[in-house]
Amino acid sequence: GAVVSQHPSRVICKSGTSVKIECRSLDFQATTMFWYRQFPKQSLMLMATSNEGSKATYEQGVEKDKFLINHASLTLSTLTVTSAHPEDSSFYICSASSPNSNQPQHFGDGTRLSIL
Amino acid sequence: KQEVTQIPAALSVPEGENLVLNCSFTDSAIYNLQWFRQDPGKGLTSLLLIQSSQREQTSGRLNASLDKSSGRSTLYIAASQPGDSATYLCAVNQGGSEKLVFGKGTKLTVNP
């Protein structure tokens, strides 16, 4: 089945640091990837839709300059949290669309980001 | 705007019990509905996918139903086991969009 790999799984860093999270589709090409954020006891909230070769589409209320998304190839999308602060601490999950699958999206294992 | 609600927020049952998790959505114009399982600190595992034209899907001890007109879905788990303990998320996919809208989930605990 389609596999999505997300790296790193856990990040702990100081306030002001920029953090890059990678999302890779391992055995399929994904023209579209999605980035979600999940706060404790809350649902997954879509942050942005990442489109290969074009600019990401951000959901309302998500700062484009804060959360930089790059989808440079059909198998890789990156999310960079710039100048992270404690309020950015959250669980970030990516997913990828597989056009040849009966499942709309395949999810990575998530990245736990903790900003001190 | 689509909103997905899951009831109950948490459920604790003894091993062996059959149980039902509920999901409701406000906009019935959905393309499909999915049930996911999420273990603590982990990503999502897809359990069942129901297309808008379908009424139910079954996989092992799991059965998911969909009543699109009333905006409801249920996930039935038969003969629950401690290994079923996890958070179960319901998500709908709107027609014409790949976006998924999630509920907050039901945290299930199956006690041995």
Side-chain angles (χ1 to χ4, degrees), chain A residues 38 43 59 97 102 105 109, chain B residues 38 43 49 98-99 102-103:
Chain A
Q38 185 180 33
S43 183
E59 295 300 302
S97 292
N102 61 358
Q105 295 180 26
D109 280 341
Chain B
Q38 185 178 29
L49 168 69
E98 291 185 275
K99 295 181 183 180
F102 285 85

Side-chain angles (χ1 to χ4, degrees), chain A residues 57-69:
Chain A
T57 303
Y58 290 81
E59 295 300 302
Q60 190 173 8
V62 178
E63 300 175 59
K64 300 178 182 180
D65 296 332
K66 176 74 172 179
F67 300 99
L68 300 179
I69 292 173

Side-chain angles (χ1 to χ4, degrees), chain B residues 27-91:
Chain B
D27 186 347
S28 61
I30 64 169
Y31 186 65
N32 57 51
L33 181 145
Q34 272 189 280
W35 282 93
F36 294 88
R37 169 184 174 140
Q38 185 178 29
D39 291 287
K42 299 292 185 181
L44 274 62
T45 301
S46 180
L47 298 173
L48 289 165
L49 168 69
I50 311 177
Q51 301 288 353
S52 61
S53 59
Q54 298 175 322
R55 299 284 291 183
E56 66 177 346
Q57 283 287 328
T58 298
S59 176
R61 294 182 293 109
L62 305 180
N63 176 276
S65 68
L66 173 64
D67 185 341
K68 185 180 169 184
S69 60
S70 68
R72 296 178 187 276
S73 176
T74 61
L75 178 66
Y76 175 82
I77 302 178
S80 58
Q81 303 170 358
D84 294 331
S85 298
T87 296
Y88 291 81
L89 296 167
C90 167

Side-chain angles (χ1 to χ4, degrees), chain A residues 61-100:
Chain A
V62 178
E63 300 175 59
K64 300 178 182 180
D65 296 332
K66 176 74 172 179
F67 300 99
L68 300 179
I69 292 173
N70 183 281
H71 194 156
S73 76
L74 287 172
T75 60
L76 174 65
S77 175
T78 61
L79 168 68
T80 301
V81 184
T82 61
S83 186
H85 292 284
E87 59 266 28
D88 298 322
S89 298
S90 186
F91 192 58
Y92 293 85
I93 307 178
C94 73
S95 69
S97 292
S98 174
N100 297 320

